[in-house]
Amino acid sequence: MEIGIVNQLSALAHPKRLDLFRLLMRRYPDSVSAGEIARTLDLKANTASVYLSTLRQVGLIRQDRVGVSLFYQSEISAMRDLVGVLLNDCCQNRPDICLTGPYCEARSEASQPPYNLLFICTANSARSIMAEAILNKIGADRFTAYSAGVAPATGPQTEVLQMLREQGHDISDLTSKNVDQFTQITAPKMDFVITVCDRAANDDCPIWSGQPIQAHWGLPDPVHINATASQATLAYRQCYDALTTKLRAFVDLPIETLDRVSLQHALDDIARGIAA
């Protein structure tokens, strides 16, 4: 056991390998292609392959082949075991020693609605805007939804606003915002933070106060498809429908009765399209 832990810690001690593992943890439960990993971390293909092989050898990630492409996913059970050993052995299971900092702030309102939820994508012009509008409509009595982008556009896409209006959503307050706005001390504390595009999930996460549950629901970007007008309209509607399905499943969760682990698993299941 100790040899395995030492090897895992040694693998994570390399800055680039740690960056790679953190990327796969942020994208969980998705699997990420070797090419996307190399592009995101600005690595040469052969260098990325070496780093991936090292992390696989110590059991921290898994590899799957789809056709001619290789995809990688973090091994959550291995990471859980590693953290467990560090906490239970090295820290003698004392949270006052090991569990400190902003991630451990308690929220007095943790078990009671209304819950604040932040949707994040790249430009905050389509997917996250849709998600904000949908949740504020179908979950208005229990949730307050917000959205932001890591590189926000000047405003929501015209096609998105038109579609939301046609679906009966209030669009008067929908604007494109920078995610940094929600890391300020005056910002509302989030109970949930969900990324809805892969690029946003690939970026380093801000340090969120209040220990929000975080998840990734990656969806194709309808803005950047190369298609006819009718095909583009269909892409926006498909994105809207996919978000509506996920958010209806989310709204139906008995959040008040679930512990953090069960709630995290439920959000990951929604990401995979698994019924709650």
Side-chain angles (χ1 to χ4, degrees), residues 138-201:
I138 67 175
D141 56 335
R142 296 175 64 218
F143 300 94
T144 302
Y146 305 86
S147 67
V150 295
T154 56
Q157 293 289 318
T158 302
E159 296 87 346
V160 170
L161 294 178
Q162 178 179 342
M163 184 186 66
L164 290 173
R165 187 187 300 109
E166 292 172 351
Q167 295 301 315
H169 294 279
D170 180 4
I171 64 171
S172 59
D173 293 329
L174 295 178
T175 61
S176 297
K177 300 168 289 295
N178 195 300
V179 70
D180 291 343
Q181 175 179 330
F182 293 91
T183 63
Q184 305 302 313
I185 193 170
T186 55
K189 284 190 176 181
M190 294 299 152
D191 298 283
F192 302 91
V193 175
I194 298 178
T195 51
V196 291
C197 82
D198 293 345
R199 179 182 167 187

Side-chain angles (χ1 to χ4, degrees), residues 224-256:
H224 294 125
I225 65 167
N226 185 14
T228 64
S230 59
Q231 289 172 328
T233 299
L234 177 61
Y236 282 110
R237 185 53 192 261
Q238 288 175 333
C239 184
Y240 175 88
D241 289 345
L243 283 167
T244 299
T245 298
K246 291 181 183 297
L247 288 170
R248 288 195 183 281
F250 174 72
V251 168
D252 287 341
L253 291 175
I255 293 175
E256 293 82 1

